[in-house]
Structure formats: structure tokens, C-alpha cells
Amino acid sequence: AVVLIMHGMEFNNGNQVARDCAIGVLEALGPQDEMGVLLWDGFERWVFPLAKVGDKRSMRTAIAGMNQGDMPGFEGVMQKAHAALKASKASLKHVIVFSDGDPAPPPPERMAAMVADRITVSTVLISGHAGPEIMMQIADQGRGRVDDVQSPAQVPQIFIKEAAVVLKSAIY
């Protein structure tokens, strides 16, 4: 099960790059895998809640229509991702945070609770203008990986790699 947290990118065509990334992850998953997408557009909300991928058409359509904004902090979306993944029956649970790194980090207690519930968190820092520290902290506390991407062209492969890591772990 994977939840994507999508933060608005402050570079040319950033939200379209994010849509392409989310679709890349969706395409890498099988019908029995679970996926959910969270964003902030003035409110913390699900583009679609964590659910079995099944027929990808409706999820693809929802992703294509998302328009994420510049969220002030990660705690609200992390809480929603945590609750959904904790309730999931999936054996592997992962969050991928896609951001330029400027929202406030979630409190260490949130990250510790997610790890205690066997949920890993990786981050993808895109054209970070706030420095990599927050994204590195989240990935470190979430026992995940951090990718620092300087070109939007690199992003789809990073998301596919993250999905592949989750799927490979399930095979092992």
C-alpha cells in the first residue's frame, strides 16, 4: 500500500510534473495493490482515499484533475496517511512525500508512531529552495529514502523506483 503526498511545486509546470509522477506510480502497481493520493489545495484532502488499484481509469482521471497548492505544513496530510495505512491490511505500507521542502515538518511523535505501525516514509525533494534538511529529517525518521532532484525530468523515474522498491520488498 502506498500513499502519495503531493505538495505544489513552485517551478514552471510543477503541478503537471507531479501529476505525471503520480500516474507513473499508479501504472507500476498491480490491481491488488493499494494507493491513495493526498494534497493541500487550501484544505488537506484526498484526491482519492487509499483503495485497491483495480481498474486504474478512475484513479488516473482523479490524478489528472488534481491541483495541489503550497501547503504550510506536513502534519495534517501525514496524519491522514498514517490513519489510512494503519487501517490497511497490506503487508507493506509506504508514504512518498513529493515536495520542494518548505512546509513545516511533522512532529517527531508522528514519525515515531508511523514507524511503530510499520509504515515507511520516503521523500523526493524537487528543486528545493528551503534546503534539504526537512526532507532528509522526514525520510530518516520514517526509515525511508530521500532523493534530491534538481531537474523535473528526473522525477517520474524516482517515483517509479520508489514503487518498485515497495513491490520488490513484497516479493521477498
Side-chain angles (χ1 to χ4, degrees):
V2 64
V3 172
L4 304 183
I5 293 178
M6 310 302 284
H7 171 223
M9 297 288 101
E10 297 172 40
F11 61 85
N12 188 32
N13 212 22
N15 283 355
Q16 185 56 49
V17 171
R19 288 182 204 103
D20 294 343
C21 294
I23 288 172
V25 173
L26 176 64
E27 296 304 333
L29 297 174
Q32 294 302 310
D33 296 321
E34 297 176 10
M35 182 174 169
V37 178
L38 281 160
L39 59 70
W40 186 87
D41 61 359
F43 301 95
E44 296 153 349
R45 69 174 187 87
W46 290 98
V47 174
F48 54 85
L50 186 65
K52 286 199 186 293
V53 170
D55 180 4
K56 299 176 181 180
R57 266 178 277 169
S58 64
M59 289 181 174
R60 198 178 300 115
T61 299
I63 290 168
M66 75 180 182
N67 192 28
Q68 63 274 26
D70 193 16
M71 77 176 75
F74 287 120
E75 172 56 12
V77 290
M78 285 289 211
Q79 185 279 326
K80 289 180 184 324
H82 182 193
L85 287 166
K86 185 175 180 176
S88 170
K89 301 287 189 231
S91 57
L92 291 165
K93 302 171 184 187
H94 191 56
V95 174
I96 307 171
V97 179
F98 174 73
S99 176
D100 58 15
D102 64 0
E109 299 81 19
R110 166 71 52 214
M111 299 307 298
M114 291 175 80
V115 168
D117 289 329
R118 300 183 328 117
I119 300 166
T120 55
V121 182
S122 290
T123 61
V124 180
L125 176 64
I126 305 297
S127 300
H129 59 271
E133 293 81 13
I134 289 173
M135 299 293 274
M136 291 169 69
Q137 173 188 338
I138 292 169
D140 182 55
Q141 291 175 350
R143 299 203 180 144
R145 292 157 302 284
V146 61
D147 287 291
D148 186 353
V149 178
Q150 296 304 313
S151 166
Q154 295 173 281
V155 177
Q157 289 307 320
I158 297 294
F159 269 85
I160 291 168
K161 178 182 85 174
E162 285 291 329
V165 166
V166 170
L167 293 173
K168 185 185 284 185
S169 297
I171 291 169
Y172 288 137

Coordinates of all heavy atoms in Angstrom, one line a residue, residues 28-124:
A28 N 2.7 1.5 -12.2 CA 3.7 0.5 -11.7 C 3.0 -0.5 -10.7 O 3.6 -1.6 -10.5 CB 4.9 1.1 -11.0
L29 N 1.8 -0.2 -10.2 CA 1.2 -1.0 -9.2 C 0.2 -2.0 -9.9 O -0.3 -1.8 -11.0 CB 0.4 -0.2 -8.2 CG 1.2 0.8 -7.4 CD1 0.3 1.7 -6.6 CD2 2.2 0.0 -6.5
G30 N 0.0 -3.1 -9.2 CA -0.9 -4.1 -9.7 C -2.3 -3.9 -9.1 O -2.5 -3.1 -8.2
P31 N -3.3 -4.6 -9.6 CA -4.7 -4.4 -9.2 C -5.0 -4.7 -7.8 O -5.9 -4.1 -7.2 CB -5.5 -5.3 -10.2 CG -4.5 -6.3 -10.7 CD -3.2 -5.7 -10.7
Q32 N -4.2 -5.6 -7.1 CA -4.4 -5.9 -5.7 C -3.7 -4.9 -4.8 O -3.9 -4.9 -3.6 CB -4.0 -7.3 -5.4 CG -4.9 -8.3 -6.1 CD -6.4 -8.2 -5.7 OE1 -6.7 -8.1 -4.5 NE2 -7.2 -8.1 -6.7
D33 N -2.7 -4.1 -5.3 CA -2.0 -3.1 -4.5 C -3.0 -2.0 -4.2 O -4.0 -1.8 -4.8 CB -0.8 -2.5 -5.3 CG 0.2 -3.6 -5.6 OD1 0.5 -4.4 -4.7 OD2 0.8 -3.6 -6.7
E34 N -2.6 -1.2 -3.1 CA -3.5 -0.1 -2.7 C -2.7 1.2 -2.9 O -1.5 1.2 -2.7 CB -3.8 -0.2 -1.2 CG -4.6 -1.5 -0.9 CD -4.9 -1.6 0.6 OE1 -4.6 -0.7 1.4 OE2 -5.4 -2.7 1.0
M35 N -3.5 2.2 -3.3 CA -2.9 3.5 -3.5 C -3.9 4.6 -3.1 O -5.1 4.5 -3.2 CB -2.5 3.7 -4.9 CG -1.8 5.1 -5.2 SD -1.3 5.1 -7.0 CE -0.8 6.9 -7.1
G36 N -3.3 5.7 -2.5 CA -4.1 6.9 -2.2 C -3.2 8.1 -2.4 O -2.0 8.0 -2.4
V37 N -3.9 9.2 -2.7 CA -3.2 10.4 -3.0 C -3.7 11.6 -2.2 O -5.0 11.8 -2.2 CB -3.2 10.8 -4.5 CG1 -2.5 12.1 -4.8 CG2 -2.6 9.7 -5.4
L38 N -2.9 12.2 -1.4 CA -3.2 13.4 -0.6 C -2.6 14.7 -1.1 O -1.5 14.6 -1.6 CB -2.7 13.2 0.8 CG -3.5 12.2 1.7 CD1 -2.7 11.7 2.9 CD2 -4.8 12.9 2.2
L39 N -3.3 15.8 -0.9 CA -2.7 17.1 -1.3 C -3.3 18.1 -0.4 O -4.2 17.9 0.4 CB -2.9 17.4 -2.8 CG -4.4 17.4 -3.4 CD1 -5.2 18.6 -2.9 CD2 -4.2 17.5 -4.9
W40 N -2.8 19.3 -0.6 CA -3.3 20.5 0.0 C -3.7 21.5 -1.0 O -2.9 21.8 -1.9 CB -2.3 21.1 1.0 CG -2.8 22.3 1.8 CD1 -3.4 22.2 3.0 CD2 -2.7 23.7 1.5 NE1 -3.8 23.4 3.5 CE2 -3.3 24.4 2.6 CE3 -2.2 24.4 0.4 CZ2 -3.4 25.8 2.6 CZ3 -2.3 25.8 0.5 CH2 -2.9 26.4 1.5
D41 N -5.0 22.0 -1.1 CA -5.4 23.0 -2.0 C -6.2 24.1 -1.3 O -7.2 24.6 -1.8 CB -6.2 22.3 -3.2 CG -7.5 21.7 -2.6 OD1 -7.8 21.7 -1.4 OD2 -8.3 21.1 -3.5
G42 N -5.7 24.4 -0.1 CA -6.4 25.3 0.8 C -7.0 24.4 1.9 O -7.2 25.0 3.0
F43 N -7.1 23.2 1.7 CA -7.5 22.2 2.7 C -6.7 20.9 2.4 O -6.4 20.6 1.3 CB -9.0 21.8 2.5 CG -9.9 23.0 2.7 CD1 -10.4 23.7 1.5 CD2 -10.4 23.4 3.9 CE1 -11.2 24.8 1.7 CE2 -11.2 24.5 4.0 CZ -11.6 25.2 2.9
E44 N -6.5 20.2 3.5 CA -5.8 18.9 3.4 C -6.9 17.9 3.0 O -7.9 17.8 3.7 CB -5.2 18.4 4.8 CG -4.1 19.4 5.2 CD -4.0 19.4 6.7 OE1 -4.8 18.9 7.4 OE2 -3.0 20.0 7.1
R45 N -6.7 17.2 1.8 CA -7.8 16.3 1.4 C -7.2 15.2 0.5 O -6.1 15.3 -0.1 CB -8.8 17.1 0.6 CG -8.4 17.7 -0.7 CD -9.6 18.3 -1.5 NE -9.2 18.7 -2.8 CZ -9.2 17.9 -3.9 NH1 -9.6 16.7 -3.7 NH2 -8.8 18.3 -5.0
W46 N -8.0 14.2 0.4 CA -7.7 13.1 -0.5 C -8.1 13.4 -1.9 O -9.2 13.8 -2.2 CB -8.4 11.8 -0.1 CG -8.0 11.2 1.2 CD1 -8.5 11.4 2.4 CD2 -6.9 10.3 1.4 NE1 -7.8 10.7 3.4 CE2 -6.8 10.0 2.8 CE3 -5.9 9.8 0.5 CZ2 -5.8 9.2 3.3 CZ3 -5.0 8.9 1.1 CH2 -4.9 8.6 2.4
V47 N -7.2 13.2 -2.9 CA -7.6 13.2 -4.3 C -8.5 11.9 -4.5 O -9.5 12.0 -5.1 CB -6.4 13.2 -5.2 CG1 -6.8 13.0 -6.7 CG2 -5.5 14.4 -5.0
F48 N -8.0 10.8 -3.9 CA -8.8 9.6 -3.7 C -8.2 8.9 -2.6 O -7.0 8.9 -2.4 CB -8.9 8.7 -5.0 CG -7.6 8.3 -5.6 CD1 -6.9 7.2 -5.1 CD2 -7.1 9.0 -6.7 CE1 -5.7 6.9 -5.7 CE2 -5.9 8.7 -7.3 CZ -5.2 7.6 -6.8
P49 N -9.0 8.3 -1.7 CA -8.5 7.6 -0.5 C -7.8 6.3 -0.8 O -8.0 5.8 -1.9 CB -9.8 7.4 0.3 CG -10.9 7.4 -0.6 CD -10.5 8.3 -1.8
L50 N -7.1 5.8 0.1 CA -6.4 4.6 -0.1 C -7.4 3.5 -0.4 O -8.3 3.3 0.3 CB -5.6 4.2 1.2 CG -4.7 3.0 1.2 CD1 -3.6 3.2 0.2 CD2 -4.2 2.7 2.6
A51 N -7.1 2.8 -1.5 CA -8.0 1.8 -2.0 C -7.3 0.8 -3.0 O -6.2 1.2 -3.5 CB -9.2 2.4 -2.7
K52 N -7.8 -0.3 -3.2 CA -7.2 -1.2 -4.2 C -7.2 -0.6 -5.5 O -8.2 0.1 -5.9 CB -8.0 -2.6 -4.2 CG -7.7 -3.4 -3.0 CD -8.1 -4.9 -3.3 CE -7.9 -5.7 -2.1 NZ -6.6 -5.9 -1.6
V53 N -6.1 -0.8 -6.3 CA -6.0 -0.1 -7.5 C -7.0 -0.6 -8.5 O -7.7 0.2 -9.2 CB -4.5 -0.3 -8.1 CG1 -4.4 0.2 -9.5 CG2 -3.5 0.4 -7.2
G54 N -7.2 -1.9 -8.6 CA -8.2 -2.4 -9.6 C -8.1 -1.8 -10.9 O -7.1 -1.8 -11.5
D55 N -9.2 -1.3 -11.5 CA -9.3 -0.7 -12.8 C -8.7 0.7 -12.5 O -9.3 1.5 -11.8 CB -10.7 -0.6 -13.3 CG -10.8 0.1 -14.6 OD1 -9.7 0.4 -15.2 OD2 -11.9 0.2 -15.1
K56 N -7.6 1.1 -13.2 CA -6.9 2.3 -12.9 C -7.6 3.6 -13.5 O -7.1 4.7 -13.2 CB -5.5 2.2 -13.5 CG -4.7 1.1 -12.8 CD -3.3 0.9 -13.4 CE -2.6 -0.3 -12.7 NZ -1.3 -0.5 -13.2
R57 N -8.6 3.4 -14.3 CA -9.2 4.6 -15.0 C -9.6 5.7 -14.1 O -9.3 6.9 -14.4 CB -10.3 4.1 -15.9 CG -9.9 3.9 -17.4 CD -11.0 3.4 -18.2 NE -11.1 2.0 -17.9 CZ -12.1 1.2 -18.3 NH1 -13.1 1.6 -18.9 NH2 -12.0 -0.1 -18.0
S58 N -10.4 5.4 -13.1 CA -10.9 6.4 -12.3 C -9.8 7.1 -11.5 O -9.8 8.3 -11.3 CB -12.0 5.9 -11.3 OG -11.5 5.0 -10.4
M59 N -8.8 6.4 -11.0 CA -7.7 6.9 -10.3 C -6.9 7.9 -11.2 O -6.5 8.9 -10.8 CB -6.8 5.9 -9.7 CG -7.5 5.2 -8.5 SD -6.3 3.9 -7.8 CE -7.3 3.4 -6.4
R60 N -6.7 7.4 -12.4 CA -5.9 8.2 -13.4 C -6.6 9.5 -13.7 O -6.0 10.6 -13.8 CB -5.7 7.4 -14.7 CG -4.7 7.9 -15.6 CD -4.5 7.0 -16.9 NE -4.1 5.7 -16.6 CZ -4.9 4.6 -16.8 NH1 -6.1 4.7 -17.4 NH2 -4.5 3.4 -16.6
T61 N -8.0 9.4 -13.8 CA -8.7 10.7 -14.1 C -8.7 11.6 -12.9 O -8.5 12.8 -13.1 CB -10.2 10.3 -14.3 OG1 -10.3 9.4 -15.5 CG2 -11.1 11.5 -14.6
A62 N -8.7 11.1 -11.7 CA -8.6 11.9 -10.5 C -7.3 12.6 -10.4 O -7.2 13.8 -10.1 CB -8.9 11.1 -9.2
I63 N -6.2 11.9 -10.7 CA -4.9 12.4 -10.7 C -4.7 13.5 -11.7 O -4.2 14.6 -11.4 CB -3.8 11.3 -10.9 CG1 -3.8 10.4 -9.6 CG2 -2.4 11.9 -11.2 CD1 -3.0 9.1 -9.9
A64 N -5.2 13.3 -12.9 CA -5.1 14.3 -14.0 C -5.8 15.6 -13.6 O -5.4 16.6 -14.1 CB -5.7 13.7 -15.3
G65 N -6.8 15.5 -12.7 CA -7.5 16.7 -12.4 C -7.1 17.4 -11.1 O -7.6 18.4 -10.7
M66 N -6.0 16.8 -10.4 CA -5.6 17.4 -9.2 C -4.8 18.7 -9.4 O -4.2 18.9 -10.4 CB -4.8 16.4 -8.3 CG -3.4 16.1 -8.8 SD -2.6 14.9 -7.7 CE -1.0 14.9 -8.4
N67 N -4.9 19.6 -8.4 CA -4.2 20.9 -8.5 C -3.8 21.3 -7.1 O -4.4 22.0 -6.4 CB -5.2 22.0 -9.1 CG -4.4 23.2 -9.4 OD1 -3.2 23.1 -9.7 ND2 -5.0 24.3 -9.4
Q68 N -2.7 20.7 -6.7 CA -2.1 20.9 -5.4 C -1.6 22.3 -5.2 O -1.1 22.9 -6.1 CB -1.1 19.8 -5.0 CG 0.1 19.8 -5.9 CD 0.0 19.0 -7.2 OE1 -1.1 18.8 -7.7 NE2 1.1 18.6 -7.7
G69 N -1.6 22.7 -3.9 CA -1.1 24.1 -3.6 C 0.1 24.0 -2.7 O 0.6 22.9 -2.4
D70 N 0.5 25.1 -2.2 CA 1.7 25.3 -1.4 C 1.3 25.1 0.1 O 1.0 26.1 0.8 CB 2.4 26.6 -1.7 CG 3.8 26.7 -1.1 OD1 4.4 25.7 -0.7 OD2 4.3 27.9 -1.0
M71 N 1.3 23.9 0.6 CA 0.9 23.6 1.9 C 1.8 24.2 3.0 O 3.0 24.2 2.8 CB 0.7 22.1 2.1 CG 1.9 21.3 2.4 SD 1.6 19.5 2.7 CE 1.2 18.9 1.1
P72 N 1.3 24.6 4.1 CA 2.1 25.2 5.1 C 2.9 24.2 6.0 O 3.9 24.5 6.5 CB 1.1 26.0 6.0 CG -0.2 25.4 5.7 CD -0.2 24.8 4.3
G73 N 2.3 23.0 6.1 CA 3.0 22.0 7.0 C 2.5 20.6 6.6 O 1.4 20.4 6.1
F74 N 3.3 19.6 6.9 CA 3.1 18.2 6.6 C 2.2 17.5 7.6 O 1.7 16.4 7.3 CB 4.4 17.5 6.4 CG 5.2 17.8 5.2 CD1 6.4 18.3 5.3 CD2 4.6 17.6 3.9 CE1 7.2 18.6 4.1 CE2 5.3 17.9 2.8 CZ 6.6 18.4 2.9
E75 N 2.0 18.0 8.8 CA 1.4 17.2 9.9 C 0.0 16.7 9.5 O -0.3 15.6 9.7 CB 1.3 18.0 11.2 CG 0.5 17.3 12.3 CD 0.9 15.9 12.6 OE1 2.0 15.4 12.2 OE2 0.1 15.2 13.3
G76 N -0.9 17.6 8.9 CA -2.2 17.2 8.6 C -2.3 16.0 7.6 O -3.0 15.1 7.8
V77 N -1.6 16.2 6.5 CA -1.6 15.1 5.5 C -0.9 13.8 6.0 O -1.3 12.7 5.7 CB -1.0 15.6 4.1 CG1 -1.9 16.6 3.5 CG2 0.4 16.2 4.3
M78 N 0.1 14.0 6.8 CA 0.8 12.8 7.4 C -0.1 12.1 8.3 O -0.2 10.8 8.3 CB 2.1 13.2 8.2 CG 3.2 13.6 7.3 SD 3.9 12.1 6.4 CE 5.6 12.7 6.3
Q79 N -0.9 12.8 9.1 CA -1.9 12.2 10.0 C -2.9 11.4 9.2 O -3.2 10.3 9.5 CB -2.6 13.3 10.8 CG -3.5 12.7 11.9 CD -4.9 12.3 11.4 OE1 -5.4 13.0 10.5 NE2 -5.5 11.3 11.9
K80 N -3.4 12.0 8.1 CA -4.4 11.3 7.2 C -3.7 10.0 6.6 O -4.4 8.9 6.6 CB -4.9 12.2 6.2 CG -5.8 13.3 6.7 CD -6.3 14.2 5.5 CE -7.2 15.3 5.9 NZ -8.1 15.2 7.0
A81 N -2.5 10.1 6.1 CA -1.8 9.0 5.5 C -1.6 7.9 6.6 O -1.8 6.7 6.3 CB -0.5 9.4 4.9
H82 N -1.2 8.3 7.8 CA -0.9 7.4 8.8 C -2.2 6.6 9.2 O -2.2 5.3 9.3 CB -0.4 8.1 10.1 CG -0.1 7.2 11.2 ND1 0.1 7.7 12.5 CD2 0.0 5.9 11.4 CE1 0.4 6.8 13.3 NE2 0.3 5.6 12.7
A83 N -3.3 7.3 9.4 CA -4.6 6.6 9.7 C -5.0 5.6 8.7 O -5.4 4.5 9.0 CB -5.7 7.7 10.0
A84 N -4.9 6.0 7.4 CA -5.3 5.1 6.3 C -4.4 3.9 6.2 O -4.9 2.8 6.1 CB -5.3 5.9 5.0
L85 N -3.1 4.1 6.3 CA -2.2 3.0 6.2 C -2.3 2.1 7.4 O -2.2 0.8 7.3 CB -0.8 3.4 6.0 CG -0.6 4.0 4.5 CD1 0.8 4.7 4.5 CD2 -0.6 2.9 3.5
K86 N -2.5 2.6 8.6 CA -2.6 1.8 9.8 C -3.9 0.9 9.7 O -3.8 -0.3 10.1 CB -2.8 2.7 11.0 CG -2.8 2.0 12.3 CD -2.8 2.9 13.5 CE -2.9 2.1 14.8 NZ -2.8 3.0 16.0
A87 N -4.9 1.4 9.1 CA -6.1 0.5 8.9 C -6.0 -0.5 7.8 O -6.8 -1.4 7.7 CB -7.3 1.5 8.6
S88 N -5.0 -0.3 6.9 CA -4.9 -1.2 5.7 C -4.4 -2.6 6.2 O -3.6 -2.7 7.2 CB -3.9 -0.6 4.8 OG -3.5 -1.6 3.8
K89 N -4.8 -3.6 5.5 CA -4.3 -5.0 5.7 C -3.1 -5.3 4.9 O -2.6 -6.4 5.0 CB -5.4 -6.0 5.4 CG -6.7 -5.8 6.1 CD -6.6 -6.2 7.6 CE -8.0 -6.2 8.2 NZ -8.0 -5.5 9.5
A90 N -2.5 -4.4 4.2 CA -1.3 -4.6 3.3 C -0.2 -5.0 4.2 O 0.0 -4.5 5.4 CB -1.0 -3.4 2.5
S91 N 0.7 -5.8 3.7 CA 1.9 -6.2 4.5 C 3.0 -5.2 4.4 O 3.8 -5.1 5.3 CB 2.4 -7.6 4.0 OG 2.7 -7.5 2.7
L92 N 3.0 -4.4 3.4 CA 4.0 -3.3 3.2 C 3.3 -2.0 3.1 O 2.3 -1.9 2.3 CB 4.9 -3.6 2.0 CG 5.9 -4.7 2.2 CD1 6.4 -5.1 0.8 CD2 7.0 -4.4 3.2
K93 N 3.7 -1.0 3.9 CA 3.0 0.3 3.9 C 4.0 1.4 3.7 O 5.0 1.4 4.5 CB 2.2 0.4 5.2 CG 1.2 -0.7 5.4 CD 0.6 -0.7 6.7 CE -0.4 -1.9 7.0 NZ -1.1 -1.8 8.2
H94 N 3.8 2.3 2.7 CA 4.8 3.2 2.4 C 4.2 4.6 2.0 O 3.1 4.6 1.4 CB 5.6 2.7 1.2 CG 6.9 3.5 0.9 ND1 7.9 3.7 1.8 CD2 7.3 4.1 -0.2 CE1 8.8 4.4 1.3 NE2 8.5 4.6 0.0
V95 N 4.8 5.7 2.4 CA 4.4 7.0 2.0 C 5.5 7.6 1.2 O 6.7 7.5 1.6 CB 4.1 7.9 3.3 CG1 3.8 9.3 2.9 CG2 3.0 7.3 4.1
I96 N 5.2 8.3 0.2 CA 6.2 9.1 -0.6 C 5.7 10.5 -0.6 O 4.6 10.8 -1.0 CB 6.3 8.6 -2.1 CG1 6.6 7.1 -2.1 CG2 7.4 9.3 -2.8 CD1 6.5 6.5 -3.5
V97 N 6.6 11.4 -0.1 CA 6.3 12.8 0.0 C 7.0 13.5 -1.1 O 8.2 13.4 -1.3 CB 6.8 13.4 1.4 CG1 6.5 14.9 1.4 CG2 6.1 12.7 2.5
F98 N 6.3 14.2 -1.9 CA 6.8 14.9 -3.1 C 6.7 16.4 -2.8 O 5.6 16.9 -2.6 CB 5.9 14.6 -4.3 CG 6.2 15.3 -5.6 CD1 7.3 15.1 -6.3 CD2 5.3 16.2 -6.0 CE1 7.6 15.7 -7.5 CE2 5.5 16.9 -7.2 CZ 6.7 16.7 -7.9
S99 N 7.8 17.1 -2.6 CA 7.8 18.5 -2.2 C 9.1 19.2 -2.6 O 10.1 18.6 -2.8 CB 7.6 18.5 -0.7 OG 7.7 19.8 -0.2
D100 N 9.0 20.6 -2.5 CA 10.2 21.4 -2.7 C 10.8 21.7 -1.3 O 11.8 22.4 -1.2 CB 9.9 22.7 -3.4 CG 8.8 23.6 -2.8 OD1 8.4 23.3 -1.6 OD2 8.3 24.5 -3.4
G101 N 10.2 21.1 -0.2 CA 10.9 21.1 1.1 C 10.5 22.3 2.0 O 11.1 22.4 3.1
D102 N 9.6 23.1 1.6 CA 9.4 24.3 2.5 C 8.2 24.2 3.5 O 8.1 25.0 4.4 CB 9.2 25.6 1.7 CG 8.1 25.7 0.8 OD1 7.3 24.7 0.7 OD2 7.9 26.7 0.1
P103 N 7.3 23.1 3.5 CA 6.3 23.0 4.5 C 7.0 22.6 5.9 O 8.1 22.0 5.9 CB 5.4 21.9 4.1 CG 5.6 21.8 2.6 CD 7.0 22.2 2.4
A104 N 6.4 23.0 7.0 CA 6.9 22.6 8.3 C 6.8 21.1 8.4 O 5.9 20.4 8.0 CB 6.0 23.3 9.4
P105 N 7.8 20.5 9.1 CA 7.9 19.1 9.2 C 6.8 18.6 10.2 O 6.4 19.3 11.1 CB 9.3 18.8 9.8 CG 9.6 20.1 10.5 CD 9.0 21.2 9.7
P106 N 6.5 17.3 10.1 CA 5.6 16.7 11.1 C 6.4 16.6 12.4 O 7.6 16.5 12.4 CB 5.2 15.4 10.5 CG 6.3 15.0 9.6 CD 6.8 16.3 9.1
P107 N 5.7 16.5 13.5 CA 6.4 16.3 14.8 C 7.0 14.9 14.9 O 6.5 14.0 14.3 CB 5.3 16.5 15.9 CG 4.0 16.3 15.2 CD 4.2 16.6 13.7
P108 N 8.1 14.8 15.6 CA 8.8 13.5 15.7 C 7.9 12.4 16.2 O 8.0 11.3 15.9 CB 10.0 13.8 16.7 CG 10.2 15.3 16.6 CD 8.9 15.9 16.3
E109 N 6.9 12.8 17.1 CA 6.0 11.8 17.6 C 5.2 11.2 16.5 O 4.8 10.0 16.5 CB 5.1 12.4 18.6 CG 5.8 13.0 19.8 CD 6.4 14.4 19.6 OE1 6.0 15.1 18.7 OE2 7.2 14.8 20.4
R110 N 4.8 11.9 15.5 CA 4.0 11.4 14.3 C 4.9 10.4 13.6 O 4.4 9.3 13.3 CB 3.6 12.5 13.4 CG 3.1 12.0 12.0 CD 1.8 11.4 12.0 NE 0.8 12.2 12.6 CZ -0.2 11.7 13.4 NH1 -0.4 10.5 13.5 NH2 -1.0 12.6 14.0
M111 N 6.1 10.8 13.3 CA 7.0 9.9 12.6 C 7.3 8.6 13.4 O 7.3 7.5 12.8 CB 8.3 10.6 12.3 CG 8.1 11.8 11.4 SD 7.2 11.5 9.9 CE 8.2 10.3 9.0
A112 N 7.5 8.7 14.7 CA 7.7 7.5 15.5 C 6.5 6.6 15.5 O 6.6 5.4 15.5 CB 8.1 8.0 17.0
A113 N 5.3 7.2 15.6 CA 4.1 6.4 15.6 C 3.9 5.7 14.2 O 3.5 4.5 14.2 CB 2.9 7.3 15.8
M114 N 4.3 6.3 13.1 CA 4.2 5.7 11.8 C 5.2 4.5 11.8 O 4.8 3.4 11.3 CB 4.5 6.7 10.7 CG 3.3 7.7 10.6 SD 3.7 9.0 9.4 CE 3.2 8.1 7.9
V115 N 6.4 4.7 12.2 CA 7.4 3.6 12.2 C 6.9 2.5 13.1 O 7.0 1.3 12.7 CB 8.8 4.1 12.6 CG1 9.7 3.0 12.9 CG2 9.3 5.1 11.5
A116 N 6.3 2.8 14.2 CA 5.8 1.8 15.1 C 4.7 1.0 14.5 O 4.6 -0.2 14.8 CB 5.3 2.4 16.4
D117 N 4.0 1.6 13.6 CA 2.9 0.9 12.8 C 3.4 0.3 11.5 O 2.7 -0.1 10.6 CB 1.8 1.9 12.6 CG 1.0 2.2 13.8 OD1 0.9 1.3 14.7 OD2 0.5 3.3 13.9
R118 N 4.8 0.2 11.4 CA 5.4 -0.4 10.2 C 5.1 0.3 8.9 O 4.9 -0.3 7.9 CB 5.1 -1.9 10.2 CG 5.6 -2.7 11.4 CD 5.3 -4.2 11.4 NE 4.2 -4.7 10.7 CZ 4.2 -5.5 9.6 NH1 5.4 -5.9 9.1 NH2 3.1 -5.8 9.0
I119 N 5.1 1.6 9.0 CA 4.9 2.4 7.8 C 6.2 3.2 7.6 O 6.7 3.9 8.5 CB 3.8 3.5 8.0 CG1 2.5 2.7 8.3 CG2 3.7 4.4 6.8 CD1 1.4 3.6 8.9
T120 N 6.8 3.0 6.4 CA 8.0 3.8 6.0 C 7.6 5.0 5.2 O 6.6 5.1 4.6 CB 8.9 2.9 5.2 OG1 8.2 2.4 4.0 CG2 9.5 1.7 6.0
V121 N 8.5 6.0 5.3 CA 8.3 7.3 4.6 C 9.5 7.7 3.8 O 10.6 7.8 4.4 CB 7.9 8.4 5.6 CG1 7.6 9.7 4.8 CG2 6.7 8.0 6.5
S122 N 9.4 7.8 2.5 CA 10.5 8.4 1.7 C 10.1 9.7 1.2 O 8.9 10.1 1.1 CB 10.7 7.5 0.5 OG 11.3 6.2 0.9
T123 N 11.1 10.5 0.8 CA 10.8 11.9 0.3 C 11.5 12.1 -1.0 O 12.6 11.5 -1.2 CB 11.3 12.9 1.4 OG1 12.7 12.8 1.6 CG2 10.6 12.8 2.7
V124 N 10.9 12.9 -1.8 CA 11.5 13.4 -3.1 C 11.5 14.9 -3.0 O 10.5 15.5 -3.1 CB 10.7 12.8 -4.3 CG1 11.4 13.3 -5.6 CG2 10.6 11.3 -4.2

